[in-house]
Amino acid sequence: MTNLERLRASLNGTGAFLVNDTTNVQWLTGFTGTFGAVLLTPDSGVFVTDSRYAIQAEEQIKGLDVRIFGVPRRFTDVINEEATRLGLAQIAFEKSIPYSTWQDWTTQVGGVEWVPADDILRPLRMVKTSDEVGKIREAIKLAEACLGHSVRMLQPGVTEFDIGLDIEFFFRRNGAGIGFPPIVASGPNSARPHARPTDRALEKGDFVTIDLGCVLDGYCSDITRTFVIGPASDRHREVYEQVLKAEVACCAALIPGATGVAVDQLARDILNEKDLAKYFGHSLGHGLGRAVHDLGSLGARSTDIIEPGQVWTVEPGVYIESFGGVRIEDDVHVTPEGPEILSSYPKGLTEL
Ligand code: ZN
Ligand code: ZN
């Protein structure tokens, strides 16, 4: 079943739905342009974009009629025509649209009641099709190759900037985009979970955290490993081993029926065996898919239930100011039989 068919099936005769969030439209249709919208009804649907994407839309859009607008016609002129043609009295819309967009739609499209939609797409997007999981797998493969490529630079005297730049080059050279600006955090900088690379040169006795991911064919990867520029101290080992223990246990805990809250709490309980949970301030993980931070959260305020087909990151961390930090992050696909860990880069403590 395609994502378009899945959404149509869940409309349940509720009428017309206008999807225009870029990531949602890409998820729904495979369209890779930056402007497009889908007006979907239970038995028909149109894809609307502007003239810049006319040729691309004909190539990429399957199962929907394509409508193109260009000067002097506006997006809302097309919606007006379609609403009249389909006899629509109501159109549901995504609540995330800007207020100014809502003003345009409600003033420019006549005779239609605009209704904020329930979040129909969230549960659908969280459960990936096998085609989507396949694409995430490919993105992970490339991220792991990049990690292997970057590790050779982890030696005293090399700056975080240079390593970060090399990661970006690697992805671009291999036909991918960067999923997010890579994190390369060494020594005391590794105590900042979202550090950006600086001109600091690596030194002996540093933890170095590398968090990277690419976008390949529209899908993301997101992996973190922490290394030690040797020799490692007892404190390095103690912190690392405890984060690893939490990470391994939480990956294994992603079984259907578990909750995002419980899996997150498990990480904190394990870190607390060594009084380290107080250094873990962020959530355990997030969904992964079309977006790096895709829908879904493993955290204290999560309302998510673990289900087959979901793909999660698991990324516990300990960040100790002026000492350094450790984060280990894998990508996990939930199957009916339990978790399948998609990333396979070695995660034992590596001294370089
Ligand atoms: Zn990450
Ligand atoms: Zn992540």
Side-chain angles (χ1 to χ4, degrees), residues 253-334:
L254 285 173
I255 54 174
T259 66
V261 171
V263 183
D264 175 83
Q265 186 57 45
L266 176 63
R268 290 170 211 283
D269 292 344
I270 293 174
L271 292 176
N272 250 343
E273 293 169 1
K274 303 277 181 185
D275 199 22
L276 293 171
K278 62 187 175 196
Y279 301 118
F280 177 34
H282 58 74
S283 300
L284 178 70
H286 50 83
L288 181 71
R290 275 268 165 197
V292 181
H293 284 181
D294 216 53
L295 303 168
S297 154
L298 306 176
R301 285 178 294 281
S302 170
T303 54
D304 296 318
I305 309 285
I306 308 307
E307 275 183 60
Q310 294 171 343
V311 178
W312 295 98
T313 70
V314 172
E315 47 183 308
V318 162
Y319 311 95
I320 305 171
E321 197 174 342
S322 79
F323 171 67
V326 174
R327 180 168 64 257
I328 303 170
E329 178 180 26
D330 279 310
D331 303 335
V332 182
H333 171 220
V334 182

Side-chain angles (χ1 to χ4, degrees), residues 5 35 73 93 247 287 340:
E5 290 163 344
F35 179 85
R73 271 164 37 100
F93 66 96
E247 204 262 357
E340 178 197 10

Side-chain angles (χ1 to χ4, degrees), residues 100-351:
S100 56
T101 300
W102 182 83
Q103 283 181 310
D104 287 347
W105 291 1
T106 50
T107 54
Q108 294 169 10
V109 180
V112 166
E113 185 190 357
W114 290 93
V115 185
D118 293 332
D119 202 351
I120 309 169
L121 283 161
R122 179 186 168 89
L124 293 178
R125 266 188 58 189
M126 282 184 67
V127 172
K128 274 70 184 176
T129 62
S130 58
D131 182 51
E132 292 182 288
V133 176
K135 288 178 177 174
I136 295 170
R137 257 182 235 282
E138 291 303 310
I140 291 172
K141 221 183 269 179
L142 190 60
E144 296 195 314
C146 182
L147 203 48
H149 167 85
S150 315
V151 163
R152 78 197 200 295
M153 295 182 76
L154 300 186
Q155 43 187 297
V158 180
T159 67
E160 296 171 355
F161 273 151
D162 281 335
I163 299 162
L165 190 58
D166 213 52
I167 290 168
E168 297 198 30
F169 268 134
F170 184 95
F171 285 139
R172 297 279 186 206
R173 233 179 354 231
N174 284 282
I178 55 166
F180 52 92
I183 293 170
V184 180
S186 67
N189 292 347
S190 62
R192 302 161 187 246
H194 266 200
R196 289 283 167 252
T198 70
D199 59 359
R200 183 181 185 278
L202 274 47
E203 294 174 13
K204 281 182 183 301
D206 279 353
F207 268 137
V208 184
T209 297
I210 297 187
D211 186 348
L212 54 75
C214 63
V215 194
L216 193 60
D217 202 4
Y219 285 80
C220 299
S221 50
D222 185 7
I223 298 169
T224 306
R225 289 293 182 268
T226 300
F227 305 88
V228 179
I229 309 297
S233 67
D234 289 348
R235 183 63 167 157
H236 281 122
R237 286 178 200 287
E238 181 184 52
V239 171
Y240 191 93
E241 293 303 331
Q242 207 60 27
V243 173
L244 180 60
K245 186 177 174 185
E247 204 262 357
V248 169
C250 291
C251 288
L254 285 173
I255 54 174
T259 66
V261 171
V263 183
D264 175 83
Q265 186 57 45
L266 176 63
R268 290 170 211 283
D269 292 344
I270 293 174
L271 292 176
N272 250 343
E273 293 169 1
K274 303 277 181 185
D275 199 22
L276 293 171
K278 62 187 175 196
Y279 301 118
F280 177 34
H282 58 74
S283 300
L284 178 70
H286 50 83
L288 181 71
R290 275 268 165 197
V292 181
H293 284 181
D294 216 53
L295 303 168
S297 154
L298 306 176
R301 285 178 294 281
S302 170
T303 54
D304 296 318
I305 309 285
I306 308 307
E307 275 183 60
Q310 294 171 343
V311 178
W312 295 98
T313 70
V314 172
E315 47 183 308
V318 162
Y319 311 95
I320 305 171
E321 197 174 342
S322 79
F323 171 67
V326 174
R327 180 168 64 257
I328 303 170
E329 178 180 26
D330 279 310
D331 303 335
V332 182
H333 171 220
V334 182
T335 79
E337 291 76 43
E340 178 197 10
I341 303 173
L342 299 176
S343 38
S344 58
Y345 198 89
K347 51 189 175 186
L349 179 71
T350 305
E351 286 180 76

